[in-house]
Amino acid sequence: MEGEAAYGFIVNVDAQGSGLLSDTEKPEMRRRLYDVTGTAFEQAGIRPPRLYQEDRGDGILGVLAPDVPPVRVVGEWVENLHQNLRETNRDLRKPLRLRVGLHIGRVTADAFGRSGRAVDLACRLCDCGTAKAILRAAADAPLVVAASDRVHEDFVLPGGRWVDPKYYRRYDVDLKEGRTTAWFMVPGRCEPPEPYAEQHPEPAADRPGGPPEQSGPRTDQPPAAADTAGTADDAATAGTADDAATADDAPTAAARDDVATGDRVVQNVNHQYGTGRMVVAGTVDSIDLSDGGGR
């Protein structure tokens, strides 16, 4: 009934970069926008009157009836939208790229549309700087999804058909109403790109929105030198020292530079486990380090 708040799942869709389109380009963008989103709802089995849609110019506000399972939107609808965008963008010089904000809460209907704090939050998430920055950073992706903390907890974490919580990353975002937590996902990627990596080279903790919550230790750091260095025992399993040696292992002219200092000679020594320098008394004729035990 008009004027009474009802519980609903809110989907807000917005086109990235629509302000750069000319007046002659906008109608075609809107046609494709309604086509990819509407087809995705059909594919997920969500149709009016269980689906309300309201035009927002370069976007669409959708509110689903309480009997529509939200996981169907988070999973099937999002995946179908992603595939529909890939298809429609195949031959476009300016691809259609979308941001989607998801939230759930009380929505009030009247003769002019739908309103409520829950509607505001879905729209704010869709339009927040972090969502825009993630989509800019994911240059080859047509879609970014921003889910509220409540949607993530209730419908993403439990998983489901085409719903995988490990693909989402958490950011604290600053909205007009204050700072809130949101979860971002780029379909087709195991994680969204760092939104402010290029614009803000300072540490992540100092960037707007704060650093993403990590689900485990980072693995993008190179291994320590001690972990990558071989040992004599490692070489032994592949054959003898003579078998392993190659022309590259032999000392080069640069490595044989001897610098005499009185009766002491400093010589570079190059062997199969690396290049080092050693100081010895007297002249060095040859040193065999092939067994890895040289000192």
Side-chain angles (χ1 to χ4, degrees):
M1 183 179 296
E2 184 175 317
E4 293 185 359
Y7 202 69
F9 193 91
I10 305 151
V11 179
N12 193 74
V13 183
D14 200 5
Q16 182 101 329
S18 61
L20 301 177
L21 299 177
S22 67
D23 286 345
T24 57
E25 293 172 318
K26 286 182 182 292
E28 177 62 16
M29 180 275 292
R30 283 170 49 81
R31 185 192 69 77
R32 291 179 183 270
L33 170 65
Y34 272 90
D35 179 61
V36 295
T37 55
T39 301
F41 278 121
E42 283 284 340
Q43 292 167 326
I46 304 171
R47 305 174 183 88
R50 302 167 75 202
L51 168 65
Y52 166 85
Q53 289 186 286
E54 181 178 311
D55 185 71
R56 293 295 180 98
D58 59 355
I60 304 171
L61 172 67
V63 180
L64 282 63
D67 62 339
V68 176
V71 70
R72 192 180 297 177
V73 180
V74 178
E76 294 180 49
W77 181 80
V78 166
E79 179 58 27
N80 288 325
L81 177 60
H82 176 227
Q83 297 302 328
N84 295 343
L85 280 167
R86 292 182 61 196
E87 180 68 23
T88 198
N89 286 339
R90 183 170 297 173
D91 301 319
L92 288 183
R93 184 174 60 87
K94 295 180 180 180
L96 177 62
R97 309 180 74 214
L98 303 179
R99 304 185 308 273
V100 172
L102 303 177
H103 187 41
I104 191 167
R106 290 163 56 87
V107 178
T108 301
D110 58 29
F112 305 101
R114 301 294 185 271
S115 64
R117 291 173 60 88
V119 172
D120 293 343
L121 180 56
C123 295
R124 299 277 193 258
L125 291 178
C126 182
D127 197 48
C128 73
T130 301
K132 294 178 179 179
I134 287 175
L135 193 55
R136 281 195 301 266
D140 58 341
L143 178 64
V144 62
V145 176
S148 69
D149 200 33
R150 184 173 186 181
V151 168
H152 180 265
E153 181 176 354
D154 290 349
F155 310 112
V156 174
L157 282 181
R161 180 176 171 83
W162 294 330
V163 180
D164 196 333
K166 71 174 179 287
Y167 292 160
Y168 285 76
R169 290 294 178 270
R170 170 183 170 175
Y171 286 89
D172 291 330
V173 296
D174 292 315
L175 308 178
K176 291 182 179 180
E177 294 80 4
R179 173 163 287 201
T180 190
T181 294
W183 296 80
F184 296 85
M185 188 268 289
V186 175
R189 291 189 174 216
C190 60
E191 64 177 348
E194 174 63 41
Y196 298 105
E198 294 183 2
Q199 301 95 320
H200 301 277
E202 67 270 17
D206 298 330
R207 297 175 193 151
E213 179 180 274
Q214 297 295 331
S215 56
R218 294 187 63 89
T219 58
D220 56 354
Q221 298 298 325
D227 296 331
T228 59
T231 64
D233 292 338
D234 297 332
T237 62
T240 64
D242 291 338
D243 295 333
T246 66
D248 292 336
D249 298 325
T252 63
R256 291 196 300 269
D257 290 341
D258 298 338
V259 182
T261 309
D263 62 347
R264 302 174 67 83
V265 176
V266 178
Q267 184 180 39
N268 285 333
V269 179
N270 185 0
H271 60 94
Q272 68 188 68
Y273 303 118
T275 300
R277 295 180 63 88
M278 62 189 309
V279 179
V280 297
T283 302
V284 178
D285 293 328
S286 64
I287 297 176
D288 185 5
L289 294 178
S290 60
D291 64 353
R295 291 172 170 76

